[in-house]
Amino acid sequence: MSPKTSVLEPLRVRVRRFQFIVGLGFLALVGGSVLSVSLAMRLSARVQTLPLGFMRVLMAVLLENLWVLGVLPLLCYGAARVMELKPWSTAAGSATSGAVFVLALNFVQSGADGLWLGGLMSVLNLAAFAVGIVLSARAVKLGRAAAAQQTVKAQAKAQERKSEYDEFLRAAEQGGERLEQREAASQATPSEQPQAEAATDTPKNPAA
């Protein structure tokens, strides 16, 4: 590896991490939007029957920000299970990237007035955005903890298999040693028999 490549490698890692975070926010926005539309169509009649206007506004805010309150934390948890991520930078970066797409769409549809509508709706949207960041950061921490626990279990299982293999190897070595001892004993026995027979065939000296 050339020195120039080694110097640029950390920068490339940061760029790839930034791209991943942006893609995570965009994916959460798309998935959350599809889910929000589906739920809004099913719950529209019930939402209209709510007695208080504040409850209807709150339900609308929850459905509109479902991508950051529910989908993004799930994606962050899943991503943290397979790769090492920083909780707050990942949560804030992905949520911000998704919010930028939302603001861009609002700007295209309504101009500058669509960036901030004002009133209770905008305040609740901002609060939901902050809560979504906290939930996503928490999800990253939980994902990393689950991944670490899984790694510990895998290491313990590998160590257990290694112990079983070592025990099997020792048993095989002991069996080989016994087999060698038996072969040595079987080879020594025929060589001793002629000597014993020669000793028994030797005539005894007659008595004087």
Side-chain angles (χ1 to χ4, degrees):
M1 182 179 294
S2 62
K4 185 177 180 180
T5 304
S6 61
V7 171
L8 295 178
E9 187 62 26
L11 181 60
R12 293 176 180 175
V13 172
R14 292 181 181 179
V15 171
R16 287 194 294 265
R17 188 181 298 273
F18 174 77
Q19 292 174 345
F20 177 80
I21 291 175
V22 172
L24 198 65
F26 180 74
L27 184 61
L29 177 61
V30 173
S33 299
V34 173
L35 186 59
S36 297
V37 172
S38 177
L39 290 176
M41 293 177 62
R42 296 184 179 184
L43 300 176
S44 59
R46 296 183 180 180
V47 172
Q48 295 299 327
T49 59
L50 292 176
L52 299 178
F54 174 76
M55 295 179 65
R56 291 195 293 270
V57 172
L58 181 60
M59 183 62 66
V61 170
L62 291 177
L63 290 175
E64 183 178 350
N65 294 278
L66 184 62
W67 69 273
V68 72
L69 292 173
V71 179
L72 184 60
L74 290 177
L75 292 179
C76 288
Y77 177 82
R81 288 292 301 269
V82 297
M83 62 184 303
E84 187 173 356
L85 297 173
K86 296 180 180 179
W88 290 105
S89 60
T90 301
S94 56
T96 301
S97 65
V100 167
F101 283 111
V102 173
L103 294 176
L105 292 175
N106 292 337
F107 179 78
V108 171
Q109 294 176 355
S110 305
D113 295 334
L115 299 178
W116 180 260
L117 301 177
L120 181 61
M121 191 78 171
S122 297
V123 174
L124 291 178
N125 284 331
L126 189 60
F129 178 77
V131 172
I133 292 177
V134 175
L135 292 177
S136 299
R138 179 62 178 170
V140 173
K141 293 179 181 179
L142 291 177
R144 293 309 305 158
Q149 186 177 4
Q150 187 68 25
T151 302
V152 171
K153 290 182 179 179
Q155 292 177 350
K157 191 173 183 179
Q159 185 65 28
E160 182 179 356
R161 290 181 178 178
K162 184 177 180 300
S163 300
E164 294 177 356
Y165 176 76
D166 292 340
E167 184 177 356
F168 172 78
L169 186 62
R170 286 194 298 269
E173 291 177 352
Q174 292 176 358
E177 292 177 356
R178 295 194 192 99
L179 182 60
E180 291 178 356
Q181 292 175 359
R182 291 176 182 176
E183 291 179 353
S186 62
Q187 292 176 359
T189 303
S191 61
E192 293 176 355
Q193 287 179 355
Q195 297 178 1
E197 293 176 357
T200 54
D201 293 340
T202 302
K204 297 181 179 179
N205 295 327

